[in-house]
Amino acid sequence: PAQRAPPPKPPRKPSLDMVDLGEAPPPPKKNAQSLSQDTVQQLVREGKMRWDDVDQRYVAVEVVEEVRIGIQAVSIGNEDLSSKAPEVQQAILERRQALQDAQEEKRARLRAQRSAAESEADAQIALKARLDPQLKQWSEDHGKKKNIMALLAGMDQVMWEGSGWKPISIGDLLDPKKVKRAYYKASRFVHPDKLVNLSVEQRFVGKRIFDALSQAYAEFEESGMG
């Protein structure tokens, strides 16, 4: 019997890093296949590349971010408009320009977000060097983690000025039920979701306090006292 011809291969999905605005495509970008394995691994560790499940390859983070916020391939055409009525030509040209402007606005927003994230990362490094000694003095005793009662009683020593946090006496933390209430109150007070509109330094301090309290209370519960 005659052999059947193999089915045609499906068309290859366009690459995510192509933005078609009706012009000639840009020259191909260097991807993971043209980089050494060590270079790719280094870029992944630095957060500059990640694996893309759609294209099944490593791509630059900014490409994935562009797709995430809606900068996707958009075809706006490049056909001859001379045969169309003037008002139709004008409408088409305005539509093309609107699409291009919208894409550029999203790119500008992405660049601003990336710049802000980099600036905050730099600020976090400086804050860690400056505030670590004070935070460690609050959370540790000669290298050993303090218990939840000690952390709650001394929390006012590391809270930022004007935070509104009221000190808790160690005498109010002798009952496990009171410890639990105080912990949940403090945890809600410095929860990251509550700090989004505060300064970088306040978010840094709040996150460190929140993490220390969470770990100490988990150990408190494991001891059977919670």
Side-chain angles (χ1 to χ4, degrees), residues 50-178:
R50 69 175 68 166
W51 179 256
D52 187 281
D53 290 329
V54 176
D55 272 359
Q56 292 294 299
R57 65 186 179 101
Y58 286 101
V59 297
V61 168
E62 62 181 25
V63 172
V64 178
E65 288 299 300
E66 284 190 357
V67 173
R68 183 181 63 80
I69 68 171
I71 305 178
Q72 302 179 18
V74 176
S75 178
I76 59 177
N78 195 29
E79 71 274 15
D80 182 12
L81 303 179
S82 59
S83 62
K84 300 183 183 295
E87 61 273 17
V88 175
Q89 294 183 31
Q90 183 65 26
I92 292 175
L93 292 173
E94 290 177 355
R95 174 60 177 163
R96 289 178 180 175
Q97 188 61 50
L99 286 171
Q100 292 178 2
D101 292 345
Q103 296 287 59
E104 185 53 41
E105 181 182 353
K106 289 180 179 180
R107 288 193 183 92
R109 193 185 319 135
L110 180 60
R111 287 192 292 269
Q113 291 173 351
R114 190 177 300 119
S115 177
E118 291 173 354
S119 297
E120 180 159 338
D122 292 339
Q124 294 270 2
I125 294 173
L127 287 169
K128 179 177 174 61
R130 179 165 62 86
L131 298 176
D132 249 9
Q134 181 184 5
L135 289 166
K136 282 190 175 182
Q137 185 178 4
W138 165 71
S139 63
E140 298 179 8
D141 186 10
H142 299 290
K144 183 179 179 181
K145 301 290 185 182
K146 293 182 180 179
N147 61 39
I148 187 64
M149 288 81 78
L151 294 183
L152 290 169
M155 186 170 151
D156 58 294
Q157 300 171 11
V158 287
M159 290 295 290
W160 55 90
E161 185 177 355
S163 68
W165 175 255
K166 296 180 180 179
I168 300 176
S169 169
I170 192 69
D172 294 329
L173 299 170
L174 301 179
D175 183 348
K177 291 183 179 179
K178 291 184 177 181

Side-chain angles (χ1 to χ4, degrees), residues 198-217:
L198 300 184
S199 69
V200 176
E201 179 171 338
Q202 290 166 342
R203 294 199 306 272
F204 176 84
V205 173
K207 177 68 164 54
R208 290 289 296 274
I209 295 174
F210 179 82
D211 289 344
L213 292 175
S214 299
Q215 182 178 350
Y217 190 72

